Amino acid sequence: MKNYFVLILAGLLLLPLASCNNRKGSNDKAQALNDSVSALVGREGAGECEMMIKQIPAGKFKLDKQAYLEGFAKILMCDTLDHDQSYMLGVSQAIQMYGQLMEWEDQYGLRFNKQLLLNEFRKTFNGKKPMTQAELQRLSDQIQLCFKQATLQVAKKKAKIGQKYLIEGQNYIAQQVKTAGFIKAPSGIAYKVLKPGSGSTFINGDYVHISFKGMHTNGTVFDQTQTPEIVQVSDLDFIEGFVDALKMMRPGAKMRVIVPGNLAYGVEGDDEAGIKPNEALVFDIEAGKKATPTEVKQYQAQQEQDDNYQ
């Protein structure tokens, strides 16, 4: 979510800005044109900004319109004076640093002391001597050492949490096998056949129409298809336990599958989906028919287009 916010901030600075200042000597027609285009750009700009802000996931950020307009007006009213250009440069570079800090917080589990950071920035920026390349390199090396320490701390924390959830998942599977009619497969997943289907089971490389719903063990949904979609049965595209389940299915089959954490998202989990380290997950999977050669070509073309876009 944080990256959305940074993109919005950066995008606002890139919007075309229209000055409301009028040059001396402008005739009435030029004045009218200036005012007309200024009003139009103002309305269009507001609409574009609203569209960008709507990209932020619901519930992740509450817009303070008054604060937003204060910041927008501060930048918009800048002119060509050195002071104002310097101000805008500072804002632009601060946005870049802000985005970098948030990425590092997400990646390394850090929480920056922004006041301390700002104090050191001011002191260094106002220093009598500019920093040399060698000094910058030494600072960069020290920062990388801090990142390594933070990475180790995050890994230890996740491992501890992951062990707890792995045991909970194993106990949950054992209970479902004992009381709810699930069967434990050699791979470690547990499954219940809701509809057997017919024909041969799927294998690696097959293209299949499927629908699925992914849930936590308490029934809360974290992901689901809205309509059936074509997927390739591949260890590269899905978590291991999901692929294991697909290879047990036939066209027309429906299964409920419990995937232990080590065959799901592992010790890393998935923060965006709210999946804890080594958390066991439940999937309802419904398989349709295998895709036709034409459908496979369309699927591959779309995948190639998506890869090129990324």
Side-chain angles (χ1 to χ4, degrees):
M1 183 284 295
K2 291 182 178 179
N3 288 336
Y4 280 98
F5 189 49
V6 176
L7 288 172
I8 299 303
L9 290 172
L12 296 180
L13 288 182
L14 297 176
L15 285 175
L17 304 181
S19 172
C20 63
N21 297 326
N22 299 312
R23 295 180 180 179
K24 294 181 180 179
S26 298
N27 57 35
D28 291 343
K29 288 185 178 180
Q31 175 77 37
L33 179 59
N34 288 341
D35 289 348
S36 177
V37 72
S38 296
L40 291 171
V41 170
R43 291 198 291 273
E44 181 192 39
E48 290 177 348
C49 290
E50 286 180 335
M51 293 296 291
M52 286 191 290
I53 290 169
K54 286 178 181 178
Q55 295 176 29
I56 301 175
K60 298 293 186 180
F61 167 69
K62 184 177 181 181
L63 178 68
D64 183 332
K65 285 194 173 183
Q66 184 59 40
Y68 172 91
L69 290 172
E70 288 175 8
F72 189 88
K74 186 73 174 179
I75 297 299
L76 182 68
M77 299 308 292
C78 287
D79 55 28
T80 58
L81 297 177
D82 289 343
H83 173 273
D84 285 345
Q85 288 184 338
S86 299
Y87 178 89
M88 293 182 71
L89 179 61
V91 170
S92 176
Q93 293 185 338
I95 288 174
Q96 292 180 41
M97 179 174 283
Y98 182 74
Q100 184 66 76
L101 294 180
M102 289 193 295
E103 286 183 15
W104 285 339
E105 287 190 349
D106 284 344
Q107 185 174 356
Y108 300 111
L110 295 166
R111 292 296 176 266
F112 284 94
N113 182 337
K114 291 182 181 178
Q115 188 59 58
L116 175 61
L117 187 154
L118 180 58
N119 291 343
E120 290 298 314
F121 185 98
R122 282 174 172 156
K123 184 170 63 175
T124 304
F125 192 77
N126 289 324
K128 294 181 180 180
K129 293 182 179 180
M131 191 173 294
T132 66
Q133 188 63 42
E135 289 172 327
L136 276 172
Q137 186 60 53
R138 281 196 294 271
L139 286 172
S140 178
D141 292 342
Q142 291 174 339
I143 290 171
Q144 291 303 316
L145 285 175
C146 291
F147 287 166
K148 287 182 180 179
Q149 293 176 8
T151 299
L152 289 174
Q153 291 176 0
V154 170
K156 288 179 180 179
K157 183 177 179 181
K158 284 189 173 182
K160 185 176 180 179
I161 296 173
Q163 185 62 26
K164 170 181 174 290
Y165 277 98
L166 186 62
I167 294 172
E168 287 185 2
Q170 290 170 344
N171 292 339
Y172 177 78
I173 288 176
Q175 182 66 21
Q176 294 302 303
V177 169
K178 183 178 179 180
T179 63
F182 279 80
I183 301 170
K184 189 170 183 179
S187 65
I189 67 172
Y191 66 95
K192 180 191 287 187
V193 177
L194 305 178
K195 187 178 177 183
S198 60
S200 58
T201 55
F202 302 124
I203 60 174
N204 263 349
D206 281 345
Y207 291 86
V208 186
H209 292 265
I210 69 166
S211 298
F212 72 87
K213 179 166 63 175
M215 299 166 283
H216 300 283
T217 55
N218 65 3
T220 303
V221 176
F222 65 84
D223 189 18
Q224 64 181 329
T225 53
Q226 299 302 316
T227 58
E229 56 186 45
I230 295 175
V231 300
Q232 183 182 19
V233 181
S234 168
D235 294 336
L236 298 177
D237 295 331
F238 297 102
I239 60 174
E240 186 177 347
F242 193 94
V243 176
D244 290 342
L246 284 178
K247 291 178 182 178
M248 299 170 63
M249 300 180 72
R250 309 169 190 274
K254 185 174 182 180
M255 285 174 40
R256 172 163 288 191
V257 184
I258 307 172
V259 180
N262 61 306
L263 299 179
Y265 288 85
V267 74
E268 289 300 318
D270 186 332
D271 292 337
E272 289 188 7
I275 297 171
K276 304 298 183 183
N278 275 337
E279 180 183 356
L281 303 172
V282 180
F283 291 93
D284 282 344
I285 309 172
E286 187 167 3
K289 60 182 177 60
K290 291 183 181 181
T292 65
T294 300
E295 290 173 332
V296 171
K297 287 183 179 179
Q298 292 173 343
Y299 170 85
Q300 291 173 333
Q302 183 62 52
Q303 291 296 105
E304 183 176 352
Q305 182 178 336
D306 292 342
D307 290 342
N308 291 335
Y309 177 77
Q310 293 174 359

